């Protein structure tokens, strides 16, 4: 292992996001924007158990971790604790630096890019560049995840399709410490539950259209339900043999559709609609805004057509725990701001930087996507404005404040890249 990679892996043990001035660094000259009060707030209710079961997610995870820590192999049932650093050291797939098809006028915006493994292979389940069974959706960078220690780790979410649909969703943990040789590994997302008297898990079935990594929490958009939360300190290694269709406990061991690692869901924030007359908010994308004090989580929605208005809703984050705040009676957390964005349709990803929204908009597999910008005005209601073109089929956005870039990923088979764009 080279010195750079070893340094990066050691940085994974850094403390999560620190509060106030000791927290994430802002771009030079930046001034933090304080979120305003939301005149029509949305509530989310914290849920810590699977529907239809009386056992909480933390209880199941605790039992699984206790098994993983046992000194007796027969009590571990194939489980072992896993860490981000360990998974990166065990990365089994390789990306390749390559440039997506990109319009010439916007080429100066493209900072760096790579394609997923398999560009030179025929279509197969294991061919990430061409597979029809999985599509990438969300992206988040390690800058927000580990307090600004390094910008060289990415997480990318995928959802399963076709014959693999029952596998739910996964994340790719990507090591970019050597930009010329990206390495990554897939981790299956699972939901803890109890089957009979057995503590186990099952695939987390969701579209995973957007993700936001903050401290040790990974927030994942769950389109009509709200948000799901996964704790990166609770990852597990599982047995890799057995039938491909097994996930959870089976014949003495735990499996996960032959994935080596799983990330269990630790809680959910379920949508609560105070105003039932209003069209329900869609939870299509999610991102961290590190340019507000306190830091905030921004949820945006996909709507059609392009000229449609969409909404962006903001909740404050506790920099010590990574949880949404402020907590209210009944396990509720209330939004602090909500913006309605004209011409905010077809948005696949949105981030907010110093009060300006950057919107990633798609136009199908054969037309370039765009980045548009929008900023609330004291008077008037301006539409989102074109800023530059990007690759076909763009998805989520993630802001890397240290590098001054936006990360994105495009989804269609045979045209799958991860790329950063200069702000």
């Amino acid at each position: 292992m080279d010195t750079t990679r070893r340094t990066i892996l050691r940085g994974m043990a850094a403390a999560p996001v620190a509060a106030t001035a000791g927290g994430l660094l802002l771009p030079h000259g930046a001034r933090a924007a304080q979120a305003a009060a939301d005149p029509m707030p949305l509530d989310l209710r914290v849920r810590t158990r699977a529907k239809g079961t009386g056992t909480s997610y933390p209880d199941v995870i605790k039992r699984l971790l206790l098994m993983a820590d046992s000194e007796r192999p027969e009590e571990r049932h194939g489980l072992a604790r896993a860490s981000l650093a360990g998974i990166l050291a065990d990365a089994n797939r390789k990306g390749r630096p390559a440039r997506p098809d990109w319009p010439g006028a916007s080429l100066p915006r493209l900072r760096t890019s790579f394609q997923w493994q398999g560009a030179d292979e025929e279509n197969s389940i294991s061919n990430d560049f061409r597979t029809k069974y999985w599509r990438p959706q969300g992206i988040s960078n390690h800058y927000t995840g580990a307090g600004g220690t390094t910008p060289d780790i990415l997480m990318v979410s995928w959802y399963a399709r076709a014959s693999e649909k029952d596998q739910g969703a996964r994340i790719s943990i990507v090591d970019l410490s050597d930009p010329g040789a990206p390495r990554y590994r897939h981790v299956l997302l699972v939901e803890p539950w109890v089957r009979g008297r057995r503590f186990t898990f099952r695939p987390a079935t969701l579209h995973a259209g957007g993700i936001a990594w903050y401290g040790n929490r990974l927030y994942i958009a769950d389109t009509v339900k709200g948000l799901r939360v996964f704790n990166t300190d609770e990852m597990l290694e599982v047995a890799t043999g057995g039938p491909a269709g097994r996930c959870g406990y089976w014949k003495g061991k735990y499996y996960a559709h032959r994935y080596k690692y799983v990330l269990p869901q630790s809680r959910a924030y379920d949508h609560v609609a105070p105003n039932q007359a209003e069209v329900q908010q869609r939870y299509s994308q999610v991102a961290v805004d590190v340019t507000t004090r306190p830091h905030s989580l921004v949820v945006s929605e996909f709507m059609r057509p392009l000229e449609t208005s969409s909404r962006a809703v903001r909740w404050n984050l506790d920099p010590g725990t990574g949880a949404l705040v402020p907590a209210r009676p009944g396990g509720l957390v209330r939004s602090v701001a909500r913006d309605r964005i004209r011409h905010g349709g077809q948005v696949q990803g949105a981030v907010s930087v110093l009060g300006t929204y950057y919107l990633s908009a798609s136009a199908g597999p054969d037309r370039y996507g765009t980045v548009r910008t929008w900023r609330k005005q004291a008077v008037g209601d301006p539409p989102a404005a074109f800023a530059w073109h990007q690759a076909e089929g763009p998805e989520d956005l993630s802001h890397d404040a240290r590098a001054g870039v936006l990360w994105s990923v495009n989804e269609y088979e045979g045209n799958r890249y991860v790329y950063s764009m200069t702000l």
Side-chain angles (χ1 to χ4, degrees):
M1 183 182 295
D2 60 53
T3 302
T4 301
R5 192 178 303 281
R6 189 177 295 111
T7 301
I8 293 298
L9 296 182
R10 280 201 301 265
M12 302 300 291
V17 184
T20 60
L24 295 173
L25 300 175
L26 295 178
H28 180 68
R31 292 192 301 174
Q34 179 64 45
D38 188 350
M40 295 182 63
L42 289 180
D43 285 335
L44 292 172
R45 177 174 283 112
V46 181
R47 176 170 54 84
T48 59
R49 65 188 72 247
K51 293 180 179 178
T53 178
T55 307
S56 71
Y57 294 140
D59 285 344
V60 176
I61 293 171
K62 180 180 179 180
R63 295 297 186 103
L64 295 173
L65 291 174
L66 285 173
M67 282 186 266
D69 291 339
S70 175
E71 296 181 357
R72 302 175 62 182
E74 65 271 19
E75 294 179 350
R76 292 199 292 268
H77 302 289
L79 294 175
R81 283 185 183 259
S83 66
L84 286 168
I87 291 172
L88 287 173
D90 197 26
N92 62 345
R93 298 185 181 228
K94 297 178 180 179
R96 183 174 67 182
R99 193 180 81 187
D101 184 18
W102 199 275
S106 297
L107 196 57
R109 291 283 184 176
L110 183 62
R111 176 80 67 88
T112 185
S113 58
F114 73 88
Q115 61 187 194
W116 298 100
Q117 177 172 296
D120 298 327
E121 304 170 9
E122 293 299 320
N123 186 38
S124 69
I125 293 176
S126 61
N127 184 327
D128 297 328
F129 188 76
R130 300 184 187 279
T131 181
K132 64 182 180 182
Y133 301 107
W134 290 88
R135 278 189 176 172
Q137 295 291 293
I139 189 167
S140 194
N141 70 86
H142 188 239
Y143 182 85
T144 56
T149 58
T150 171
D152 294 328
I153 308 299
L154 297 173
M155 284 195 187
V156 176
S157 63
W158 305 62
Y159 74 97
R161 307 172 70 239
S163 61
E164 305 299 309
K165 188 175 182 179
D166 64 344
Q167 295 188 21
R170 70 188 184 193
I171 57 166
S172 301
I173 301 176
V174 185
D175 180 359
L176 285 177
S177 57
D178 180 355
R183 301 166 64 249
Y184 63 97
R185 183 146 200 151
H186 299 314
V187 175
L188 192 69
L189 299 174
V190 296
E191 182 183 26
W193 73 306
V194 178
R195 184 175 184 178
R197 300 179 64 182
R198 174 68 61 181
F199 295 94
T200 184
F201 50 78
R202 58 191 175 188
T205 54
L206 72 165
H207 187 68
I211 65 175
W213 185 10
Y214 189 73
N216 62 0
R217 297 194 183 203
L218 181 66
Y219 288 87
I220 301 186
D222 192 359
T223 313
V224 297
K225 297 178 181 178
L227 299 167
R228 299 203 200 185
V229 188
F230 299 76
N231 190 325
T232 57
D233 292 336
E234 296 173 343
M235 291 190 289
L236 288 163
E237 180 180 339
V238 299
T240 54
R246 294 291 177 179
C247 186
Y249 185 82
W250 185 73
K251 291 189 176 181
K253 290 189 176 181
Y254 288 90
Y255 300 95
H257 292 295
R258 293 184 176 169
Y259 285 82
K260 188 176 181 179
Y261 300 101
V262 298
L263 176 54
Q265 180 177 330
S266 61
R267 71 204 65 213
Y269 287 98
D270 290 340
H271 174 85
V272 179
N275 182 0
Q276 298 294 340
E278 185 174 347
V279 175
Q280 178 172 324
Q281 172 77 30
R282 293 174 62 85
Y283 296 75
S284 303
Q285 308 102 32
V286 60
V288 175
D289 186 351
V290 298
T291 65
T292 59
R293 287 293 183 266
H295 298 158
S296 53
L297 194 75
V298 178
V299 170
S300 51
E301 60 185 353
F302 177 86
M303 303 289 284
R304 286 191 177 98
L306 181 69
E307 294 77 15
T308 303
S309 293
S310 63
R311 294 162 296 183
V313 187
R314 189 183 300 266
W315 285 265
N316 284 338
L317 286 160
D318 184 319
T321 66
L324 301 184
V325 291
R328 295 171 55 83
L332 298 177
V333 288
R334 177 155 288 184
S335 62
V336 295
R338 180 160 46 157
D339 294 310
R340 187 175 294 274
I341 302 172
R342 283 183 58 210
H343 289 196
Q346 296 183 202
V347 169
Q348 302 279 7
V351 297
S352 174
V353 181
L354 296 173
T356 296
Y357 283 94
Y358 294 84
L359 312 171
S360 175
S362 62
D366 302 316
R367 297 176 61 189
Y368 292 127
T370 58
V371 174
R372 287 177 286 152
T373 60
W374 182 88
R375 189 177 183 92
K376 179 181 285 187
Q377 303 296 321
V379 178
D381 184 18
F386 169 82
W388 67 84
H389 282 106
Q390 57 173 322
E392 299 102 330
E395 286 292 317
D396 200 17
L397 289 176
S398 180
H399 174 221
D400 181 344
R402 173 178 290 183
V405 299
L406 301 177
W407 283 98
S408 190
V409 58
N410 59 343
E411 69 170 328
Y412 293 112
E413 44 264 46
N415 184 15
R416 288 197 180 123
Y417 297 82
V418 176
Y419 53 91
S420 64
M421 301 172 284
T422 301
L423 279 178

